[in-house]
Amino acid sequence: MRAFADASRPIDAVSPMIYGQFIEHFYRQIYGGIYEPGSPLADEDGFRTDVLKALRALKVPVVRWPGGCFASAYHWKKGVGPVRTPYFDKAWRVEEPNTFGTDEFIRFCRKIGAEPYICANAGTGTAEEMSDWVEYCNEPHLGEWAKKRAAYGNPEPFRVKYWSIGNENYTSGEIGSKTVAAWGPFVREAAKMMLRVDPTIELFAASVPDLDWNLGLLRSAGDLIHWLSIHEYWDPAWEENKLSDYTGAMRASTRVENSIKKTEAILCALGYEKRIRIAFDEWNLRGWHHPGVMDFSRLIPDHAACEAHREKNEDDAVYTMADAVFSACFLNACIRHAGSVGMANFSPIANTRGAIHVHPDGLVLRPTYHVFKLFADHMGSTAVDGYISSGETFDAGDEKVAALDMAATVDERGTLRVALVNRHPDAALDLDFNPRGAAFEGCATLHTVNGPDKDSFNSIDCPDAVTTRCKALTPEGGSLALVLEPHSVNVLVWEKEKA
Ligand code: AHR
């Protein structure tokens, strides 16, 4: 098999925000996840110091909060100030303690060095409530909410740049879902009020790769928004927790670009491809398991029973090299579409299906964590052209799947940095890798995330079944003979100059 990467053919700058994360008020993502006041592992503000350290190591660029479905009935004003009143969260049918609100979220982002991204309530919320939230966060001193922020201990504005109007308001299951006809005008009125408070913010709007939905949205508010927010989970586990195996995950990994391409085409057709970018701001191979919420015929009255189902998301054994390989293919797709995809947020950051499992005594860094670390440490800032010739395939159920998935980048020094994913469940790939567009005469190394087999996972008892290894390579005649291990995620780093 042969592959080529041409350092002289740039596609576009790779936005670092494609390595973003998402956190929601769902089960133990926040309470018992990142935020655990009283834990011996918590800092003076109640944040788990081991979680903060692990997230800093990922160089997380942006975090989206507070949801997700939770956002569509969240009234932010109850979550600020000295008195926090618990309330019944109608999205997830639990009691929200309200002790983690805007101030705590901003503090969390500052501690890990990430930009905050707030998803505002377009379900039961109003344009005024959203714009008051912008005032609370960004207005230096005018108005009731800027003054309250100062009174609560934050005289300086939080400067939140990213704001989403709504979450999945196109789905019937969402609280306050909207019709195609109503969504565009609603977004426009909310955008007008939010921009009147702070004209420098960037606005996202809940979208889906559907022509009618986006025609309505963009004709009404295309001149005021900067991003289309799209979501996808390829393993729909919310009602039945029947998760796909490695083979199913590989089939899914060949479809990660579909929504991007559809959204690109819609933006292009309407002439917005230069102004509006794609934010894939919720993605994960695995849908979260929470039966009896979206499907009203299956509502579960007993709260404890609801929570028992949600505990199944915490099982480390579910998250194997299938998740790692899939996630690398998704990030590769974002890199190949660097001209249109400016943000992506893994859903979620901790617990549930996240890259980190937080338990009372420590953490499990799941295989997906090691993929994010690999890309954060080794991938470059400019996507460049590349292609695979004579690509091998393997049978994945009734589909033939390409064994190799690739995305090529260069960094500011011209170093070639290429993500090479071997999807094959049990065969190594012999790859003849050929750089073009420059002479690469420096050191070459291959960084590999892998485990003993395709179903390897990390757990409390076995935290290092899946790890990252590195080996030096010996270029010959300007090319490299690589052997990519089965079910592995690799980044090739090849310096231009000799050391
Ligand atoms: O399963 C979690 C939910 O998935 C998020 O809250 C929502 O945004 C998406 O539908």
Side-chain angles (χ1 to χ4, degrees), residues 25-285:
H25 290 243
F26 176 88
Y27 204 46
R28 296 196 306 110
Q29 292 178 25
I30 291 178
Y31 306 107
I34 65 167
Y35 188 62
E36 196 175 7
S39 161
L41 298 173
D43 66 11
E44 68 284 358
D45 295 311
F47 292 97
R48 282 283 295 261
T49 53
D50 48 351
V51 175
L52 298 177
K53 183 182 175 193
L55 293 175
R56 286 189 199 108
L58 292 188
K59 300 187 265 284
V60 176
V62 59
V63 179
R64 175 174 179 260
W65 168 84
C69 297
F70 174 83
S72 292
Y74 179 61
H75 295 291
W76 69 270
K77 294 174 181 175
K78 296 180 182 174
V80 295
V83 178
R84 308 287 183 88
T85 309
Y87 71 93
F88 186 86
D89 163 26
K90 296 184 181 63
W92 298 120
R93 301 183 54 239
V94 295
E95 180 171 274
E96 165 57 42
N98 243 337
T99 52
F100 188 98
T102 305
D103 293 47
E104 289 75 24
F105 172 60
I106 299 297
R107 200 170 298 136
F108 167 68
C109 290
R110 298 291 186 258
K111 284 175 183 276
I112 65 171
E115 282 292 326
Y117 164 15
I118 291 178
C119 179
N121 175 1
T124 62
T126 64
E128 186 161 43
E129 183 181 24
M130 295 184 207
S131 58
D132 286 349
W133 206 352
V134 178
E135 178 193 323
Y136 181 78
C137 292
N138 292 2
E139 169 50 42
H141 51 80
L142 297 181
E144 172 195 5
W145 291 102
K147 289 179 170 62
K148 282 186 173 177
R149 183 198 65 241
Y152 301 154
N154 294 287
E156 288 305 310
F158 296 142
R159 296 188 180 80
V160 178
K161 181 178 177 182
Y162 304 121
W163 294 84
S164 177
I165 298 169
N167 175 80
E168 300 190 5
N169 299 87
Y170 44 83
T171 60
S172 60
E174 191 76 9
I175 292 172
S177 58
K178 301 286 188 295
T179 62
V180 167
W183 183 236
F186 180 95
V187 170
R188 181 165 197 87
E189 291 314 307
K192 278 165 46 182
M193 287 195 77
M194 296 166 87
L195 291 166
R196 280 174 181 276
V197 175
D198 181 353
T200 69
I201 60 176
E202 291 189 19
L203 289 172
F204 301 57
S207 176
V208 62
D210 171 84
L211 191 55
D212 292 332
W213 183 264
N214 287 296
L215 273 175
L217 169 57
L218 296 174
R219 279 179 171 156
S220 291
D223 58 320
L224 297 181
I225 63 173
H226 309 80
W227 299 81
L228 285 185
S229 157
I230 61 174
H231 297 171
E232 196 155 356
Y233 300 87
W234 286 260
D235 210 0
W238 22 91
E239 289 298 340
E240 306 291 337
N241 198 33
K242 290 174 185 160
L243 297 169
S244 63
D245 60 7
Y246 185 90
T247 302
M250 292 309 104
R251 289 197 299 270
S253 75
T254 65
R255 292 190 278 276
V256 291
E257 285 177 275
N258 293 2
S259 292
I260 294 171
K261 288 176 178 174
K262 284 181 192 170
T263 306
E264 282 173 340
I266 292 168
L267 285 169
C268 233
L270 296 174
Y272 279 110
E273 74 280 9
K274 294 298 179 206
R275 170 189 164 83
I276 296 177
R277 289 196 288 173
I278 298 169
F280 219 125
D281 54 26
E282 277 187 41
W283 70 272
N284 195 314
L285 165 63

Side-chain angles (χ1 to χ4, degrees), residues 302-375:
D302 178 64
H303 295 309
C306 265
E307 297 286 88
H309 283 292
R310 295 174 191 182
E311 181 63 23
K312 295 172 188 170
N313 291 294
E314 308 296 330
D315 179 4
D316 290 318
V318 169
Y319 312 106
T320 69
M321 282 310 299
D323 300 77
V325 168
F326 175 92
S327 297
C329 290
F330 176 88
L331 293 174
N332 279 356
C334 293
I335 290 166
R336 291 192 296 265
H337 291 267
S340 61
V341 179
M343 186 185 294
N345 305 72
F346 190 59
S347 166
I349 201 168
N351 289 336
T352 310
R353 308 274 193 211
I356 301 173
H357 171 200
V358 185
H359 58 86
D361 305 318
L363 307 178
V364 175
L365 302 180
R366 290 169 170 163
T368 43
Y369 178 89
H370 294 284
V371 171
F372 277 101
K373 183 88 169 52
L374 185 77
F375 277 67

Side-chain angles (χ1 to χ4, degrees), residues 1 246 250 253 321-322 324-326 328-329 332 374-375 388 391-394 401-407 418-431 446-451 453-454 482-491:
M1 181 185 286
Y246 185 90
M250 292 309 104
S253 75
M321 282 310 299
V325 168
F326 175 92
C329 290
N332 279 356
L374 185 77
F375 277 67
I388 301 163
E392 288 174 29
T393 63
F394 63 93
V401 168
L404 180 63
D405 184 80
M406 180 178 82
V418 185
L420 297 161
V421 184
N422 180 5
R423 292 188 178 102
H424 203 294
D426 45 45
L429 283 181
D430 293 321
L431 178 64
L446 189 69
H447 304 264
T448 298
V449 171
N450 209 352
D453 68 54
K454 67 182 183 345
L482 297 175
V483 178
L484 302 180
E485 298 169 8
H487 51 72
S488 68
V489 178
N490 310 270
V491 172

